[in-house]
Amino acid sequence: MTPFEVNSSIRTAGSAMFSCHGQGVVRGYAIGRAELLGATQIEVSQYAISVEQVEAQQQRLRDALLEAEQEISALVAQLPTDAPKELAALLGVHSLLLQDPNLRAQTERYIAEHLCNAEWALHQQGQLLQAQFAAMQDDYLRERGSDIRQVVERVLALLKQSDHSPAQVVQVASPPSAASPYESKILVARDIAPADMLALRHRHFGAFLTDLGGPTSHTAIVARSMGVPAIVGMGGMRTLIHEHDLLIVDGFTGEVIINPSELVLAEYQQKQKEYLSARAKLESIRDAPAITLDGVEIQLLANIELPEEASEAYAIGANGIGLFRSEFLFMGRKSLPSEDEQFEAYRYALEAMHGLPVTIRTLDIGADKMLEGEQTLATNPALGLRAVRYCLAHPELFQTQLRALLRASVYGQLQILIPMLSTLEEVIAVKQAIVAAQHGLKQQGIDYVADIKLGGMVEVPAAAIAIEPFAANLEFLSLGTNDLIQYVMAVDRGDAQVADLYDPMHPAVLRLISHVINAGERFTIPVSVCGEMAGDSSLTRLLLGLGLTKFSMHPAQILDVKREILMSHSYALRTKLASVLNRGERVDSALLH
Ligand code: PEP
Ligand code: MG
């Protein structure tokens, strides 16, 4: 079967209306127009410019077009005499396209009208022309669409060389206009790499849809932090949806309705209204402490990817940051962040939390989160040199991060978290690296907090099974269930084809979680869950029943989880679950209610 058949189903209803299914990973509804993400689009930087900068951007475009023409002339001049005639003809076509007023003049106009940079304007214009060619009857003309693409890519490459935009370039775009409910854009892609998601977060998409990916893929995680509905694992959906199609996205069921009828549209508008009003009601528990019916106080912490998100976490009443994925500061850029840049980012998060604990995880790079330009040689990157393994293999990079963290520690209550531990030797090596960083700072007379709490992520089954030495040598533990499930079940967390086997409720997974929580109790150290399980309110009772008292999740999920906690009886849940776990049976969710 093709992935499409496995992962999605289509039904036709009426003329052009049809629907596709995938896995809803962020709940909510969205109604908007499709924006298709091309293979190269993501690399095109996009930023807003002022009216005064229009001429400079238009000049950049003219220079790049001229340079591209010169490149092509040089290629033609160097063509060997026995080169096929078609090659010279093709280059001739490219040269003509570069002079095409549609491309040149309209791109200049786009810059002025949309106040955006030259590459974005060119990219948009190129997409438009390609779409026009694709619609032509004549085979020859239709194929010219790919020439447009090649020419545009050549000019984009030249523009990239002259790009002096700010580091965080992708941030244009007009916020969705309130004028029409369908002006919200729904991004439709085959796949979106985590670094690209990061770049997209400054645009205002109403929802994300991808053909690939699983519920805890980093794409899904970043979509969640953006608080918009997302559906992954949609099989071949990307090829069925056209640019500007009207879409209804149901993040609860994972259904996307393409070109809905008026009746269906009205139904979903009503659902969306009801959902938004239910969410508004949740606001009433924002300031209430999260205490179960039997009086157990639960800590609700936030997961963040960028320092700015700490303010949102504080505003929503999070008890601290349970996971700051520091690698997002390193991704999607050509050079590594300096010690000073990192220091500022960590300090920002610490200050934004006003003295509440801020747990910053050291660089968890590798697997699907690669540094720009770095190719992995591993046949199995998820089992390779990632996270703490990578840091210990790159001591300079690790020292820079540790120094930045220590320097920031005086601005709040910092905790350092080590990802993907599998041996005690790694803990010892990290401790030595911290001592070395402290030593360097002391010699330079730079302040830091000497007794920062050091914790470890339990993501590797080996660490979970033999947890005691970790519990004895660390000051807190955090269960990274996203990876733990992947490794326990031998299921790639980002692979839609096996997503049905990625099972947080599997008895083996629950036993490991329970085992680690119990070890935390015995060693009197706090244990949290910071994987996506913690923010899934349908699993809140289950985690309470396993004895969890610290949940770390995306800020947008905190109120939903809090509502479940306020209605749960922790002791009763623990008793019910204990016997099921002992028997190694599946937990029937009815048992928890
Ligand atoms: C996890 O694995 O559960 C986790 C929180 O880390 P990440 O999702 O960043 O791998
Ligand atoms: Mg992980």
Side-chain angles (χ1 to χ4, degrees):
M1 273 199 283
T2 65
F4 173 72
E5 285 164 324
V6 171
N7 293 305
S8 62
S9 66
I10 297 185
R11 74 182 151 76
T12 5
S15 54
M17 179 170 96
F18 63 99
S19 71
C20 300
H21 282 91
Q23 195 164 12
V25 291
V26 188
R27 288 182 286 178
Y29 300 102
I31 301 173
R33 299 272 172 200
E35 179 169 326
L36 302 189
L37 184 68
T40 58
Q41 172 174 347
I42 203 68
E43 283 144 26
V44 182
S45 63
Q46 182 190 15
Y47 51 94
I49 59 166
S50 63
V51 178
E52 294 73 43
Q53 291 167 321
V54 166
E55 171 51 31
Q57 288 295 327
Q58 289 174 333
Q59 189 57 47
R60 281 184 68 225
L61 175 78
R62 288 192 287 268
D63 291 347
L65 287 168
L66 184 66
E67 206 177 328
E69 262 190 81
Q70 288 165 349
E71 271 185 11
I72 289 179
S73 306
L75 282 174
V76 173
Q78 287 159 19
L79 275 182
T81 43
D82 58 348
K85 277 203 210 65
E86 292 80 4
L87 194 55
L90 190 73
L91 288 170
V93 170
H94 283 200
S95 184
L96 283 176
L97 285 173
L98 284 166
Q99 296 157 31
D100 185 315
N102 274 331
L103 195 63
R104 181 182 291 249
Q106 300 214 21
T107 306
E108 285 193 19
R109 190 172 317 141
Y110 195 100
I111 294 174
E113 280 173 5
H114 291 81
L115 291 181
C116 67
N117 55 317
E119 36 280 82
W120 185 250
L122 176 66
H123 170 69
Q124 291 297 96
Q125 198 53 31
Q127 295 275 355
L128 192 74
L129 286 174
Q130 278 180 64
Q132 286 169 357
F133 274 92
M136 287 179 180
Q137 297 290 332
D138 183 283
D139 284 350
Y140 173 81
L141 287 175
R142 215 175 27 248
E143 279 166 23
R144 298 286 64 78
S146 62
D147 291 317
I148 299 265
R149 184 177 50 75
Q150 287 167 14
V151 163
V152 166
E153 281 174 7
R154 178 183 290 279
V155 183
L156 283 175
L158 291 165
L159 280 169
K160 204 167 185 174
Q161 290 167 17
S162 70
D163 185 10
H164 305 300
S165 56
Q168 193 106 20
V169 285
V170 184
Q171 43 169 267
V172 164
S174 19
S177 139
S180 153
Y182 313 137
E183 290 205 357
S184 127
K185 292 268 194 240
I186 294 179
L187 192 76
V188 183
R190 198 175 126 69
D191 195 15
I192 314 174
D196 297 334
M197 277 301 279
L198 199 60
L200 288 167
R201 68 191 309 142
H202 296 285
R203 297 197 52 208
H204 300 266
F205 287 107
F208 288 94
L209 307 175
T210 61
D211 277 350
L212 306 179
T216 64
S217 61
H218 284 97
T219 307
I221 289 172
V222 181
R224 210 163 277 138
S225 76
M226 290 158 85
V228 293
I231 303 178
V232 300
M234 300 210 54
M237 167 260 342
R238 163 77 170 71
T239 53
L240 297 170
I241 295 179
H242 298 104
E243 189 84 9
H244 305 308
D245 273 353
L246 182 58
L247 307 179
I248 293 177
V249 177
D250 183 338
F252 294 92
T253 60
E255 186 176 27
V256 179
I257 303 169
I258 298 107
N259 299 323
S261 65
E262 285 298 318
L263 206 68
V264 171
L265 194 58
E267 182 192 328
Y268 273 90
Q269 280 167 332
Q270 183 58 26
K271 280 189 181 186
Q272 191 175 31
K273 218 163 115 193
E274 283 165 14
Y275 173 67
L276 291 176
S277 109
R279 286 219 61 85
K281 280 201 198 118
L282 261 189
E283 288 295 316
S284 62
I285 58 168
R286 179 182 285 256
D287 297 324
I291 301 180
T292 62
L293 291 173
D294 53 330
V296 178
E297 196 162 337
I298 306 296
Q299 296 275 304
L300 296 179
L301 306 159
N303 289 356
I304 62 171
E305 274 86 51
L306 290 175
E308 306 86 87
E309 292 163 9
S311 317
E312 186 198 342
Y314 187 76
I316 205 130
N319 301 120
I321 302 292
L323 172 66
F324 177 169
R325 291 181 162 95
S326 71
E327 57 276 9
F328 280 84
L329 294 173
F330 291 67
M331 286 155 48
R333 49 187 293 161
K334 291 187 196 78
S335 56
L336 296 175
S338 65
E339 180 184 315
D340 280 349
E341 186 183 336
Q342 288 187 59
F343 160 72
E344 290 298 345
Y346 305 146
R347 181 171 89 158
Y348 184 98
L350 284 157
E351 288 184 337
M353 291 308 289
H354 302 278
L356 293 173
V358 174
T359 311
I360 303 186
R361 177 171 76 182
T362 55
L363 186 63
D364 183 5
I365 213 74
D368 64 336
K369 292 180 288 191
M370 294 301 292
L371 293 177
E372 184 123 335
E374 195 151 293
Q375 299 283 338
T376 176
L377 296 174
T379 38
N380 236 326
L383 305 181
L385 192 68
R386 57 170 293 205
V388 70
R389 304 171 183 178
Y390 185 96
C391 287
L392 293 174
H394 295 82
E396 256 178 51
L397 169 144
F398 198 29
Q399 273 301 304
T400 305
Q401 180 168 43
L402 291 174
R403 280 176 56 93
L405 283 167
L406 291 173
R407 281 171 58 193
S409 64
V410 292
Y411 293 92
Q413 200 190 139
L414 173 69
Q415 308 197 132
I416 296 179
L417 180 61
I418 320 167
M420 223 197 147
L421 285 170
S422 43
T423 70
L424 187 61
E425 285 67 32
E426 288 163 341
V427 175
I428 294 165
V430 170
K431 285 189 176 179
Q432 284 166 351
I434 293 176
V435 170
Q438 287 173 331
H439 184 69
L441 291 175
K442 196 182 263 172
Q443 284 197 326
Q444 291 172 272
I446 300 174
D447 279 351
Y448 59 86
V449 173
D451 56 351
I452 297 169
K453 289 203 169 81
L454 181 67
M457 287 199 68
V458 186
E459 309 182 87
V460 177
I465 293 165
I467 189 67
E468 289 75 8
F470 295 98
N473 284 281
L474 289 163
E475 285 150 303
F476 66 98
L477 297 171
S478 192
L479 276 152
T481 47
N482 303 338
D483 277 314
L484 187 63
I485 299 167
Q486 139 164 292
Y487 296 129
V488 170
M489 301 299 298
V491 170
D492 182 338
R493 62 194 263 193
D495 188 342
Q497 296 184 80
V498 284
D500 55 334
L501 288 172
Y502 186 92
D503 180 10
M505 301 277 284
H506 193 287
V509 173
L510 300 188
R511 269 193 178 175
L512 283 184
I513 296 176
S514 160
H515 178 62
V516 173
I517 293 173
N518 291 342
E521 284 174 358
R522 276 185 283 122
F523 285 81
T524 56
I525 59 166
V527 176
S528 65
V529 168
C530 64
E532 298 303 292
M533 277 181 88
D536 182 344
S537 56
S538 69
L539 298 176
T540 305
R541 285 165 188 263
L542 177 80
L543 291 171
L544 288 171
L546 296 175
L548 189 72
T549 54
K550 276 180 128 178
F551 293 61
S552 192
M553 68 202 82
H554 293 285
Q557 298 169 315
I558 286 182
L559 296 183
D560 274 322
V561 170
K562 192 190 279 189
R563 188 189 46 198
E564 282 299 313
I565 290 168
L566 295 176
M567 297 186 306
S568 302
H569 196 286
S570 171
Y571 182 75
L573 288 167
R574 282 195 90 160
T575 326
K576 281 185 197 171
L577 266 184
S579 55
V580 185
L581 279 185
N582 282 342
R583 293 194 298 271
E585 287 170 4
R586 269 196 89 75
V587 178
D588 180 351
S589 26
L591 180 85
L592 303 170
H593 290 276

